[in-house]
Amino acid sequence: MQQAVIPKLILMMLPMAIIFLAFFLVPMAQLAVVGASGEQGLAAYASIINTPRHLQSMIATVMLSAVVTLAALVVATIAGLFLVRNEFPGRQTLIALLTFPLAFPGVVIGFLVILIGGRQGLVGDISKALTGDKLVFAYSMVGLFVGYLYFSIPRVILTIMAAAEKLDPALEEAARSLGAPTWRVVYDIILPALKPGLIASGAICFATSMGAFGTAFTLATKIDVLPMTIYTEFTLNANIAGAATLSIVLGVVTWLALFIARSLSGSTVAASG
Amino acid sequence: MNSNTSVQVINCGKTFEDGTQALQPINLEIKGGETLVLLGPSGCGKTTLLRIIAGLETLDAGGQVLFNGEDVSHLPVEKRNIGMVFQSYALFPNMTVRDNIGYGLKVRRQSLADRQTRIQEMLAMMHIENLAERQISQLSGGQRQRVALARAIAVRPKVLLLDEPLTALDALLRERLRVEIDTLLRSLGITAIYVTHDQSEAMALADRIVVMSNGRIAQQGTPREIYQQPSNSFVADFIGTANKINGRMTDQGFEVEGVVLPKSILNVVGGNSTSANPIQTQAIFRPEDTEIVSQDQAHFNGQVASTFFMGDRTRLLVDGISESPIIVETTFKQEISIGTEISIRIKDQGLMLLPDELIEDLPKEIVEKTEQ
Ligand SMILES: Nc1ncnc2c1ncn2[C@@H]1O[C@H](COP(=O)(O)OP(=O)(O)OP(=O)(O)O)[C@@H](O)[C@H]1O
Ligand SMILES: [Mg+2]
């Protein structure tokens, strides 16, 4: 019995192993080697700290991703709880609409942000009519934030809704019967129950934002997020070693965030996007 | 102490948003310190009534709930100072046993020292001191129910509300916990409302039972009254086993197909008179109120259709007396074979007259039964 299992296991894991080797391990190893192959050698990895432009871009990317993640969690938790707990006409359509952005590539989302907050954008027109000043935010950090939030919310809201549906209403009633006001019920009962879902979807949200390129590429005129910096180093400056080191650093930071999230929630979290 | 809060339910009806009328306007009074059991079949509105008293369900217009004469209808559950025990226990999975029991105290902002003392007291009262630091997932069903009880009682509620707290447990444990709950309620002297569909649980725990059917009160009274003097055939059927016979009341007694059952066997505990009443058509008797006798003493004769040996007694189904078989119980040690002709006598005071019932007033299931 025992012996029969092993060949079968090898056979079944073979495709996965080939993919992992061919498209993950080998390129990663190569990336790491390339990163260290420049004039500076291994010291290139320190560039993220030594080069102010790289460091700034790293900090900006992490900050942006963190803020987007937090905002997405807050907005999606409130909306998700509301959607699960209330029946109203058009509810299903609204849920379908909320998940719409999942279908868009980053470029389209960037385009949408320009349509709203760009130089010819809706907000600009309205603010001009009202105050005489044209409000343009699409090409700043705010524009990125709006775009990232836009594609992050659906990823979070579906997870939150699935978790909220599994909440036992008797738990909340029990807490209330013991005298707990609403905010305590939320803090003591609902949030702990949603915690695994919040961590899982928050981690995905963070990882996606760290690596998002399309939106940044469409919008970025003044901002450098890390994927943009990598692109610039690679195509414009032909600094292949620099691009490789930054890629590795981006990967490690994101992986670390996912790892921390996973150990916090105890459940498996996968990065996507 | 809060132990003597009385509860008054005035005109409390409940219609859900989808139009289900779960509760007809009900009036009910629960004395301070009393244990009241709401008993009835599934879907009759027990939980709805309990949740209305708790403040977890809104009332139809015109209804009122009073605690100690004070209107609490508009207070939400968290302001009513009740204790609630749920069928599913509803223990907080993210807290230990200790934190579960202490939750109500923490919410009330009691000092840590007071909380610890009270928690210790509750742990000791429920015999679960050794479980204090456990997670809820590490507890058995019986242990969970103890924690749920401790948590509800810890806050010294005015009224303790229990919704089928033992239904999820196996028979042996149910029996044991029932005895414990009974002792507990009596020693605390707390006003308690206990929902169950299990009549033996109701009998054992209740000071007073309210039998419900289709959103109405079918009868209320002490367990003894409910059992010995059911006021309609629904209650008679639901509580214990009842043989129903049709006949009419004459000056001599209750006449069933030519046989006159003497007045001596009539139970007159309730308000029913034994005077001639041609409209009086229904009477019931319990299996344990029958005896097998020689033919000259018999009220009825019939043939044994089937027998069920129950250890301490044998239950017989007897054909040939009424349309449906009559159920009789005997403590005879010998086996009685099927087909045996037997003579049956109803013991003195064993026959209960059911009051006349206007059929359209009755819940549907009774009408169906009557029509059979
Ligand atoms: N939220 C609700 N919406 C609509 N109808 C409901 C709702 N809750 C209960 N009902 C209906 O109200 C009636 C009474 O329900 P209730 O839960 O009070 O019964 P119960 O006596 O507790 O039954 P059980 O012994 O099965 O728990 C039932 O017909 C039920 O279907
Ligand atoms: Mg119920």
Side-chain angles (χ1 to χ4, degrees):
Chain A
M1 275 308 283
Q2 276 293 323
Q3 278 149 351
V5 169
I6 293 167
K8 215 157 125 193
L9 195 72
I10 291 175
L11 203 66
M12 280 164 65
M13 290 307 289
L14 201 60
M16 181 68 207
I18 291 173
I19 291 172
F20 189 68
L21 211 73
F23 299 105
F24 189 78
L25 270 193
V26 172
M28 281 305 274
Q30 214 168 1
L31 202 59
V33 171
V34 169
S37 71
E39 292 153 26
Q40 301 161 290
L42 266 179
Y45 285 99
S47 83
I48 194 80
I49 294 164
N50 297 339
T51 318
R53 202 160 43 82
H54 291 178
L55 186 62
Q56 264 165 23
S57 142
M58 184 74 206
I59 291 173
T61 312
V62 170
M63 293 287 281
L64 177 66
S65 302
V67 173
V68 164
T69 304
L70 269 180
L73 286 180
V74 171
V75 172
T77 304
I78 295 170
L81 278 174
F82 178 83
L83 283 173
V84 166
R85 282 163 191 232
N86 293 279
E87 266 306 328
F88 52 89
R91 177 173 170 269
Q92 285 307 325
T93 322
L94 186 62
I95 293 173
L97 273 178
L98 279 172
T99 59
F100 208 58
L102 282 179
F104 289 155
V107 182
V108 177
I109 290 171
F111 183 46
L112 287 176
V113 175
I114 291 175
L115 283 182
I116 298 171
R119 278 181 275 276
Q120 268 76 47
L122 202 61
V123 173
D125 290 346
I126 294 173
S127 61
K128 177 135 200 206
L130 290 180
T131 64
D133 268 340
K134 196 171 210 173
L135 191 64
V136 175
F137 62 80
Y139 316 103
S140 65
M141 209 58 160
V142 179
L144 269 188
F145 173 78
V146 171
Y148 283 22
L149 191 60
Y150 185 68
F151 69 65
S152 292
I153 285 177
R155 290 167 213 271
V156 182
I157 209 167
L158 291 182
T159 316
I160 299 294
M161 283 177 68
E165 252 150 33
K166 278 190 254 146
L167 273 177
D168 180 2
L171 288 183
E172 288 166 49
E173 290 178 348
R176 289 176 58 205
S177 77
L178 290 165
T182 308
W183 71 266
R184 278 220 83 124
V185 177
V186 171
Y187 184 77
D188 292 333
I189 312 299
I190 298 181
L191 286 184
L194 295 182
K195 192 173 133 197
L198 287 172
I199 290 177
S201 53
I204 288 175
C205 191
F206 182 79
T208 316
S209 301
M210 284 293 291
F213 177 70
T215 314
F217 188 68
T218 318
L219 293 178
T221 51
K222 301 177 204 154
I223 333 140
D224 255 347
V225 287
L226 206 51
M228 281 300 293
T229 313
I230 295 172
Y231 178 78
T232 318
E233 289 296 335
F234 180 56
T235 56
L236 300 181
N237 304 347
N239 178 3
I240 299 187
T245 51
L246 285 179
S247 302
I248 296 272
V249 170
L250 173 65
V252 168
V253 168
T254 309
W255 178 83
L256 215 68
L258 292 187
F259 180 79
I260 292 169
R262 189 159 56 190
S263 51
L264 278 179
S265 70
S267 65
T268 317
V269 168
S272 75
Chain B
M1 267 300 275
N2 287 327
S3 63
N4 278 321
T5 306
S6 68
V7 177
Q8 265 173 294
V9 171
I10 303 169
N11 254 327
C12 282
K14 176 69 191 178
T15 313
F16 284 105
E17 296 86 66
D18 63 355
T20 315
Q21 187 157 22
L23 215 56
Q24 311 282 336
I26 267 183
N27 288 292
L28 193 60
E29 192 167 347
I30 301 121
K31 292 193 284 285
E34 185 180 34
T35 301
L36 183 95
V37 173
L38 298 176
L39 177 65
S42 186
C44 69
K46 308 178 294 286
T47 298
T48 306
L49 180 54
L50 194 77
R51 289 171 59 84
I52 282 176
I53 296 171
L56 286 168
E57 211 78 74
T58 54
L59 274 168
D60 287 354
Q64 262 187 325
V65 177
L66 311 184
F67 284 3
N68 265 345
E70 189 186 324
D71 189 355
V72 296
S73 313
H74 301 290
L75 289 183
V77 55
E78 59 266 30
K79 302 248 171 72
R80 289 200 188 180
N81 198 8
I82 51 136
M84 188 133 185
V85 179
F86 296 81
Q87 181 176 344
S88 58
Y89 318 123
L91 296 172
F92 308 132
N94 52 320
M95 301 178 200
T96 59
V97 167
R98 175 182 297 283
D99 291 343
N100 263 278
I101 297 176
Y103 186 72
L105 309 171
K106 192 167 132 197
V107 166
R108 283 169 172 70
R109 297 176 193 282
Q110 291 194 7
S111 75
L112 187 65
D114 288 355
R115 258 149 56 193
Q116 293 304 347
T117 317
R118 181 68 177 157
I119 292 170
Q120 216 49 49
E121 222 174 283
M122 296 319 301
L123 288 168
M125 185 190 279
M126 301 309 299
H127 313 292
I128 46 174
E129 289 110 317
N130 54 336
L131 304 176
E133 309 309 330
R134 289 251 190 118
Q135 292 296 322
I136 301 307
S137 57
Q138 300 168 321
L139 301 179
S140 72
Q143 292 167 338
R144 284 176 204 211
Q145 198 48 274
R146 282 165 211 257
V147 178
L149 265 167
R151 183 180 69 177
I153 295 169
V155 296
R156 298 193 166 87
K158 287 182 177 166
V159 184
L160 187 62
L161 305 170
L162 309 101
D163 192 359
E164 311 216 23
L166 303 181
T167 309
L169 305 174
D170 67 65
L172 207 67
L173 195 57
R174 200 153 62 212
E175 180 85 15
R176 223 172 54 211
L177 265 174
R178 199 196 68 208
V179 175
E180 278 186 38
I181 291 180
D182 192 37
T183 320
L184 188 73
L185 293 180
R186 272 163 229 292
S187 66
L188 292 175
I190 193 174
T191 310
I193 306 177
Y194 188 107
V195 165
T196 180
H197 60 255
D198 180 334
Q199 53 147 315
S200 57
E201 214 168 282
M203 292 281 181
L205 281 171
D207 292 321
R208 204 150 52 90
I209 295 178
V210 171
V211 185
M212 292 180 62
S213 161
N214 273 13
R216 297 162 198 255
I217 295 179
Q219 187 177 359
Q220 46 178 312
T222 62
R224 192 172 291 275
E225 281 163 5
I226 299 273
Y227 190 81
Q228 294 183 341
Q229 198 59 35
S231 62
N232 52 57
S233 54
F234 172 80
V235 176
D237 271 348
F238 191 73
I239 313 284
T241 312
N243 294 302
K244 209 179 301 175
I245 47 174
N246 292 314
R248 66 197 174 91
M249 199 61 212
T250 66
D251 284 335
Q252 284 73 44
F254 192 72
E255 191 184 317
V256 185
E257 291 172 24
V259 182
V260 175
L261 302 172
K263 281 184 176 174
S264 63
I265 68 165
L266 279 175
N267 183 331
V268 287
V269 181
N272 297 312
S273 88
T274 55
S275 59
N277 177 359
I279 314 166
Q280 183 70 60
T281 57
Q282 281 197 345
I284 58 158
F285 58 95
R286 306 261 183 217
E288 69 270 21
D289 286 333
T290 57
E291 48 195 347
I292 298 175
V293 291
S294 59
Q295 197 153 9
D296 54 319
Q297 291 179 305
H299 292 137
F300 305 111
N301 297 299
Q303 307 90 40
V304 176
S306 41
T307 67
F308 302 94
F309 180 62
M310 302 174 88
D312 55 341
R313 64 214 140 93
T314 307
R315 182 170 270 212
L316 311 173
L317 295 193
V318 183
D319 275 343
I321 298 170
S322 174
E323 294 130 61
S324 47
I326 293 287
I327 303 165
V328 169
E329 278 178 6
T330 169
T331 49
F332 273 2
K333 296 281 182 266
Q334 294 84 357
E335 196 173 334
I336 302 170
S337 55
I338 291 171
T340 314
E341 293 280 336
I342 57 168
S343 307
I344 296 159
R345 183 182 173 82
I346 300 173
K347 290 182 193 165
D348 280 0
Q349 307 223 328
L351 191 70
M352 299 176 273
L353 292 182
L354 289 184
D356 312 320
E357 287 156 344
L358 289 173
I359 290 207
E360 61 266 32
D361 261 6
L362 287 176
K364 206 163 75 237
E365 69 235 45
I366 299 181
V367 176
E368 279 159 10
K369 272 182 189 157
T370 322
E371 281 165 355
Q372 277 166 13

